[in-house]
Amino acid sequence: MKIAIVCYPTFGGSGVVATELGLELAHRGHEIHFITYRQPVRLALLNPNVHYHEVNVPEYPLFHYQPYELALSSKLVDMVKLYKIEVLHVHYAIPHAYAGYMAKQMLKDEGINIPMVTTLHGTDITLVGNHPFYKPAVSFSINKSDVVTSVSQSLKDDTYNLFPIEKDIHVIPNFIELDKTRNESLISCQRSVMAQKEERIVTHISNFRKVKRIPDVVKIFYKIQQQIPAKLMMVGDGPEKAKAEELCEELGIQDKVIFFGNSNEIDQILSYSDLFLLPSETESFGLAALEAMAWSVPVISSNSGGLPEVNFDGESGYLSNVGDIDNMAENALKILKDDKILEQFRTNALNIAKRFDIKNILPLYENLYIQAIKETRCEK
């Protein structure tokens, strides 16, 4: 198949998922065309089946804000015609599904009927999309898509609750490239750089926004280190980082916490971690938790959003109510205090992560593409 993928080219979860999906599809012989305003951060153009087309937005004095949706829809029309693309897969309802629908309409005027698959990732529904300014456009874009998917059952439920959606939504979870993630030959960092032999390593990775409840991470660790020797690895950057550093000083644990900022050594850090903390207010899926589990790291998380669909309570880790710091710390200590219990949770975490391996998830998308193309051809 010839597939166009439209996504954000940033470090965010949706862009990473879209890029990895496209690359794996290319490895399976499909011709993949990434169409966005900048080359995606994880996109390697070494595969002859992978193509990147940049969306240029000309600047005109008339426009206070440059019309990216207009430029994107025009680019989609040109690329579909030039490369005979068979299906559009857009990640995020707005602006991508909105622009995709406009491209579909322009192509129809030229006798070209192409299906559009829209994948919902989270903030396009629960945050941006639910804003009164954007809600009508989001509803329209989803309802005009030929196929709609969401990354969790929780997000599917939220979409139906927040919007007047008439389309069926298929749940296809996010995934992990287990073979790539577990490539331990790439790990060069030594555990002793981060902690002493007797210390447990607790890790948190995020964009340090309020929804991640960063102070809870610090407070949970504070209770952990009161009972066992431990170090906290804080990976990422964002508006809550400075407050977290201040809180560590107030609690007197600044020597036990390492703030890495944004790092390209996440695999190295996770490979030596004993526990992962994710006490978020909500997560549409919990990709960070899955990445930790792929390294056999058990997870202590909230029970919000899609997290219970990834982190299985009592197996890969534990779930607690949002903000229940005491319960999260208690559960963390259950795992960390006993080597045998920790090893069992490690084994369980990896086994559950294997269910989300891209080799299991990718055929679900392929089947949807094939069905969408068949239905579109029948409409002619």
Side-chain angles (χ1 to χ4, degrees), residues 202-204 217-218 221 230-234 256-258 277:
V202 181
T203 301
H204 172 79
V217 175
V218 176
F221 173 73
K231 284 283 183 68
L232 174 62
M233 309 293 126
M234 298 286 275
K256 298 182 180 181
V257 183
I258 300 175
L277 299 182

Side-chain angles (χ1 to χ4, degrees), residues 9-11 43-44 93 115 119 336 347 349:
T10 56
F11 279 100
L43 180 58
T119 292
L336 294 174
T347 300

Side-chain angles (χ1 to χ4, degrees), residues 22 34 42 62 69 84 86 129 136 143 194 203 224 267 303-304 307 310 313 316 320 336 353 366 374 379:
F34 287 93
R42 293 198 186 182
L62 174 65
E69 293 88 345
K84 302 187 185 317
E86 298 170 275
N143 284 324
M194 296 187 288
T203 301
I224 292 172
D267 286 343
N303 56 12
S304 180
L307 282 168
V310 182
D313 191 46
S316 57
S320 302
L336 294 174
E366 286 180 310
K374 284 181 180 178
E379 292 174 5

Side-chain angles (χ1 to χ4, degrees), residues 300-351:
I300 297 295
S301 74
S302 59
N303 56 12
S304 180
L307 282 168
E309 298 173 47
V310 182
N311 181 25
F312 293 6
D313 191 46
E315 294 184 56
S316 57
Y318 286 105
L319 300 165
S320 302
N321 292 331
V322 174
D324 195 341
I325 295 167
D326 290 339
N327 187 246
M328 291 185 187
E330 180 183 336
N331 288 334
L333 288 165
K334 283 181 190 175
I335 296 173
L336 294 174
K337 277 187 171 182
D338 188 298
D339 287 343
K340 289 184 179 179
I341 292 176
L342 174 57
E343 194 57 36
Q344 185 59 58
F345 272 89
R346 282 187 175 280
T347 300
N348 293 346
L350 178 57
N351 286 337

Side-chain angles (χ1 to χ4, degrees), residues 5-8 14 17-18 21 89-93 96 119 121 365:
I5 293 180
V6 181
C7 63
Y8 284 114
S14 68
V17 167
L21 173 63
H89 189 173
V90 301
H91 295 258
Y92 262 53
H96 299 150
T119 292
H121 285 270
Y365 280 115

